[in-house]
Short mmCIF file of all heavy atoms in Angstrom, two decimals:
data_model
loop_
_atom_site.label_atom_id
_atom_site.label_comp_id
_atom_site.label_asym_id
_atom_site.label_seq_id
_atom_site.Cartn_x
_atom_site.Cartn_y
_atom_site.Cartn_z
N LYS A 489 16.62 -4.53 4.61
CA LYS A 489 17.76 -4.56 3.70
C LYS A 489 17.93 -5.92 3.05
O LYS A 489 18.52 -6.03 1.97
CB LYS A 489 19.04 -4.20 4.47
CG LYS A 489 19.02 -2.84 5.14
CD LYS A 489 20.28 -2.63 5.98
CE LYS A 489 20.23 -1.32 6.75
NZ LYS A 489 21.44 -1.14 7.61
N ARG A 490 17.39 -6.95 3.70
CA ARG A 490 17.66 -8.32 3.26
C ARG A 490 16.73 -8.78 2.15
O ARG A 490 17.12 -9.59 1.32
CB ARG A 490 17.52 -9.24 4.48
CG ARG A 490 17.87 -10.68 4.22
CD ARG A 490 17.77 -11.48 5.50
NE ARG A 490 17.99 -12.89 5.30
CZ ARG A 490 17.78 -13.82 6.21
NH1 ARG A 490 17.36 -13.46 7.42
NH2 ARG A 490 18.01 -15.09 5.95
N PHE A 491 15.51 -8.24 2.11
CA PHE A 491 14.51 -8.75 1.17
C PHE A 491 14.01 -7.64 0.25
O PHE A 491 14.08 -6.45 0.58
CB PHE A 491 13.34 -9.38 1.94
CG PHE A 491 13.73 -10.55 2.78
CD1 PHE A 491 13.63 -10.51 4.16
CD2 PHE A 491 14.23 -11.70 2.19
CE1 PHE A 491 14.00 -11.59 4.94
CE2 PHE A 491 14.61 -12.79 2.97
CZ PHE A 491 14.50 -12.74 4.34
N PRO A 492 13.47 -8.01 -0.91
CA PRO A 492 13.09 -7.03 -1.95
C PRO A 492 11.74 -6.36 -1.67
O PRO A 492 10.73 -6.68 -2.30
CB PRO A 492 13.05 -7.88 -3.22
CG PRO A 492 12.65 -9.24 -2.75
CD PRO A 492 13.31 -9.40 -1.40
N PHE A 493 11.74 -5.43 -0.75
CA PHE A 493 10.49 -4.75 -0.41
C PHE A 493 9.98 -3.85 -1.54
O PHE A 493 8.83 -3.41 -1.51
CB PHE A 493 10.65 -3.94 0.88
CG PHE A 493 10.59 -4.78 2.13
CD1 PHE A 493 11.72 -5.45 2.59
CD2 PHE A 493 9.41 -4.94 2.82
CE1 PHE A 493 11.67 -6.24 3.74
CE2 PHE A 493 9.34 -5.71 3.97
CZ PHE A 493 10.48 -6.37 4.42
N ASP A 494 10.81 -3.60 -2.53
CA ASP A 494 10.35 -2.81 -3.67
C ASP A 494 9.60 -3.66 -4.69
O ASP A 494 9.05 -3.13 -5.66
CB ASP A 494 11.54 -2.11 -4.34
CG ASP A 494 12.62 -3.09 -4.80
OD1 ASP A 494 12.57 -4.27 -4.39
OD2 ASP A 494 13.51 -2.67 -5.55
N ASP A 495 9.52 -4.97 -4.47
CA ASP A 495 8.75 -5.86 -5.34
C ASP A 495 7.28 -5.76 -4.93
O ASP A 495 6.89 -6.21 -3.86
CB ASP A 495 9.26 -7.29 -5.18
CG ASP A 495 8.46 -8.31 -5.98
OD1 ASP A 495 7.52 -7.92 -6.72
OD2 ASP A 495 8.75 -9.52 -5.86
N ILE A 496 6.45 -5.17 -5.81
CA ILE A 496 5.05 -4.94 -5.45
C ILE A 496 4.11 -5.87 -6.20
O ILE A 496 2.90 -5.63 -6.24
CB ILE A 496 4.66 -3.48 -5.71
CG1 ILE A 496 4.82 -3.14 -7.20
CG2 ILE A 496 5.47 -2.54 -4.82
CD1 ILE A 496 4.22 -1.78 -7.56
N GLN A 497 4.64 -6.95 -6.80
CA GLN A 497 3.78 -7.86 -7.56
C GLN A 497 2.65 -8.41 -6.71
O GLN A 497 1.50 -8.50 -7.15
CB GLN A 497 4.61 -9.02 -8.12
CG GLN A 497 3.81 -10.02 -8.96
CD GLN A 497 3.29 -9.41 -10.25
OE1 GLN A 497 4.08 -9.00 -11.10
NE2 GLN A 497 1.98 -9.33 -10.40
N ASP A 498 2.94 -8.79 -5.47
CA ASP A 498 1.89 -9.34 -4.61
C ASP A 498 0.80 -8.30 -4.35
O ASP A 498 -0.39 -8.64 -4.28
CB ASP A 498 2.49 -9.81 -3.28
CG ASP A 498 3.23 -11.14 -3.41
OD1 ASP A 498 2.90 -11.90 -4.33
OD2 ASP A 498 4.13 -11.39 -2.59
N PHE A 499 1.17 -7.05 -4.19
CA PHE A 499 0.17 -6.02 -3.96
C PHE A 499 -0.70 -5.80 -5.21
O PHE A 499 -1.91 -5.60 -5.10
CB PHE A 499 0.84 -4.71 -3.53
CG PHE A 499 1.36 -4.75 -2.12
CD1 PHE A 499 2.67 -5.13 -1.86
CD2 PHE A 499 0.54 -4.44 -1.06
CE1 PHE A 499 3.15 -5.18 -0.57
CE2 PHE A 499 1.01 -4.48 0.25
CZ PHE A 499 2.32 -4.86 0.49
N ASP A 500 -0.07 -5.89 -6.38
CA ASP A 500 -0.85 -5.80 -7.62
C ASP A 500 -1.83 -6.97 -7.71
O ASP A 500 -3.00 -6.79 -8.07
CB ASP A 500 0.09 -5.82 -8.83
CG ASP A 500 0.90 -4.53 -8.95
OD1 ASP A 500 0.53 -3.52 -8.33
OD2 ASP A 500 1.93 -4.54 -9.67
N ASP A 501 -1.34 -8.17 -7.37
CA ASP A 501 -2.21 -9.36 -7.45
C ASP A 501 -3.33 -9.30 -6.41
O ASP A 501 -4.47 -9.66 -6.70
CB ASP A 501 -1.38 -10.62 -7.25
CG ASP A 501 -0.48 -10.94 -8.44
OD1 ASP A 501 -0.73 -10.39 -9.53
OD2 ASP A 501 0.46 -11.74 -8.28
N ALA A 502 -2.99 -8.87 -5.20
CA ALA A 502 -3.99 -8.84 -4.13
C ALA A 502 -5.10 -7.83 -4.43
O ALA A 502 -6.24 -8.01 -4.00
CB ALA A 502 -3.33 -8.51 -2.79
N GLY A 503 -4.80 -6.78 -5.18
CA GLY A 503 -5.81 -5.78 -5.51
C GLY A 503 -6.49 -6.00 -6.84
O GLY A 503 -7.50 -5.34 -7.14
N ARG A 504 -5.98 -6.92 -7.64
CA ARG A 504 -6.52 -7.14 -8.98
C ARG A 504 -7.97 -7.65 -8.93
O ARG A 504 -8.30 -8.52 -8.13
CB ARG A 504 -5.65 -8.15 -9.73
CG ARG A 504 -6.14 -8.51 -11.12
CD ARG A 504 -5.11 -9.32 -11.85
NE ARG A 504 -5.63 -9.87 -13.10
CZ ARG A 504 -4.91 -10.49 -14.04
NH1 ARG A 504 -3.61 -10.63 -13.85
NH2 ARG A 504 -5.47 -10.96 -15.13
N GLY A 505 -8.79 -7.08 -9.76
CA GLY A 505 -10.17 -7.54 -9.87
C GLY A 505 -11.09 -7.05 -8.76
O GLY A 505 -12.22 -7.54 -8.64
N PHE A 506 -10.63 -6.07 -7.97
CA PHE A 506 -11.46 -5.59 -6.86
C PHE A 506 -12.76 -4.99 -7.38
O PHE A 506 -12.76 -4.16 -8.28
CB PHE A 506 -10.69 -4.55 -6.05
CG PHE A 506 -11.48 -3.94 -4.92
CD1 PHE A 506 -11.76 -4.68 -3.78
CD2 PHE A 506 -11.95 -2.64 -5.00
CE1 PHE A 506 -12.50 -4.13 -2.73
CE2 PHE A 506 -12.68 -2.07 -3.96
CZ PHE A 506 -12.95 -2.83 -2.82
N ILE A 507 -13.87 -5.41 -6.79
CA ILE A 507 -15.19 -4.93 -7.18
C ILE A 507 -15.78 -4.02 -6.12
O ILE A 507 -16.33 -2.96 -6.41
CB ILE A 507 -16.13 -6.13 -7.45
CG1 ILE A 507 -15.63 -6.92 -8.66
CG2 ILE A 507 -17.56 -5.65 -7.68
CD1 ILE A 507 -16.37 -8.24 -8.88
N GLY A 508 -15.68 -4.40 -4.87
CA GLY A 508 -16.22 -3.59 -3.79
C GLY A 508 -16.19 -4.36 -2.49
O GLY A 508 -15.90 -5.56 -2.46
N THR A 509 -16.46 -3.66 -1.41
CA THR A 509 -16.50 -4.32 -0.10
C THR A 509 -17.76 -3.90 0.64
O THR A 509 -18.56 -3.10 0.14
CB THR A 509 -15.24 -4.01 0.72
OG1 THR A 509 -15.18 -4.90 1.84
CG2 THR A 509 -15.21 -2.58 1.20
N ALA A 510 -17.96 -4.46 1.81
CA ALA A 510 -19.19 -4.23 2.56
C ALA A 510 -19.24 -2.80 3.09
O ALA A 510 -18.22 -2.22 3.48
CB ALA A 510 -19.30 -5.22 3.71
N GLU A 511 -20.44 -2.25 3.10
CA GLU A 511 -20.63 -0.91 3.66
C GLU A 511 -20.58 -0.95 5.19
O GLU A 511 -20.04 -0.05 5.82
CB GLU A 511 -21.96 -0.33 3.18
CG GLU A 511 -22.00 -0.11 1.66
CD GLU A 511 -23.36 0.35 1.19
OE1 GLU A 511 -24.30 0.40 2.02
OE2 GLU A 511 -23.50 0.66 -0.01
N ASP A 512 -21.16 -2.00 5.75
CA ASP A 512 -21.09 -2.19 7.20
C ASP A 512 -19.85 -3.01 7.50
O ASP A 512 -19.76 -4.18 7.11
CB ASP A 512 -22.35 -2.91 7.71
CG ASP A 512 -22.40 -2.98 9.23
OD1 ASP A 512 -21.39 -2.64 9.88
OD2 ASP A 512 -23.45 -3.41 9.77
N THR A 513 -18.88 -2.42 8.16
CA THR A 513 -17.59 -3.07 8.35
C THR A 513 -17.54 -3.99 9.56
O THR A 513 -16.51 -4.60 9.83
CB THR A 513 -16.47 -2.02 8.48
OG1 THR A 513 -16.76 -1.19 9.61
CG2 THR A 513 -16.39 -1.16 7.22
N VAL A 514 -18.65 -4.10 10.28
CA VAL A 514 -18.71 -4.95 11.46
C VAL A 514 -19.72 -6.07 11.23
O VAL A 514 -20.86 -5.81 10.85
CB VAL A 514 -19.08 -4.16 12.72
CG1 VAL A 514 -19.18 -5.09 13.93
CG2 VAL A 514 -18.06 -3.06 12.99
N VAL A 515 -19.30 -7.32 11.43
CA VAL A 515 -20.19 -8.48 11.32
C VAL A 515 -20.55 -8.91 12.74
O VAL A 515 -19.66 -9.13 13.57
CB VAL A 515 -19.51 -9.63 10.56
CG1 VAL A 515 -20.45 -10.84 10.47
CG2 VAL A 515 -19.08 -9.18 9.17
N ARG A 516 -21.85 -9.04 13.00
CA ARG A 516 -22.32 -9.38 14.34
C ARG A 516 -23.14 -10.66 14.31
O ARG A 516 -23.68 -11.04 13.27
CB ARG A 516 -23.17 -8.24 14.92
CG ARG A 516 -22.45 -6.91 15.02
CD ARG A 516 -23.36 -5.82 15.55
NE ARG A 516 -22.71 -4.51 15.51
CZ ARG A 516 -21.94 -4.03 16.49
NH1 ARG A 516 -21.74 -4.75 17.58
NH2 ARG A 516 -21.37 -2.84 16.37
N ASP A 517 -23.25 -11.31 15.47
CA ASP A 517 -24.12 -12.47 15.57
C ASP A 517 -25.53 -12.02 15.95
O ASP A 517 -25.81 -10.82 16.06
CB ASP A 517 -23.56 -13.50 16.56
CG ASP A 517 -23.49 -13.00 18.00
OD1 ASP A 517 -24.14 -11.97 18.32
OD2 ASP A 517 -22.80 -13.64 18.81
N SER A 518 -26.43 -12.97 16.16
CA SER A 518 -27.83 -12.65 16.42
C SER A 518 -28.02 -11.89 17.73
O SER A 518 -29.04 -11.23 17.92
CB SER A 518 -28.67 -13.92 16.43
OG SER A 518 -28.19 -14.84 17.41
#
């Protein structure tokens, strides 16, 4: 109730310019 959770500007910015992500979602060491 205290903060503007309906403000989605950050979500628009965080998703802007998305090209793609890794197919393998786990990064492992040697």
Side-chain angles (χ1 to χ4, degrees):
K489 301 175 184 178
R490 185 177 175 190
F491 298 115
F493 281 84
D494 57 348
D495 177 3
I496 62 170
Q497 181 66 63
D498 284 335
F499 287 92
D500 290 343
D501 288 343
R504 177 170 170 171
F506 177 72
I507 295 172
T509 193
E511 296 175 355
D512 187 351
T513 60
V514 178
V515 179
R516 301 178 186 273
D517 64 16
S518 58

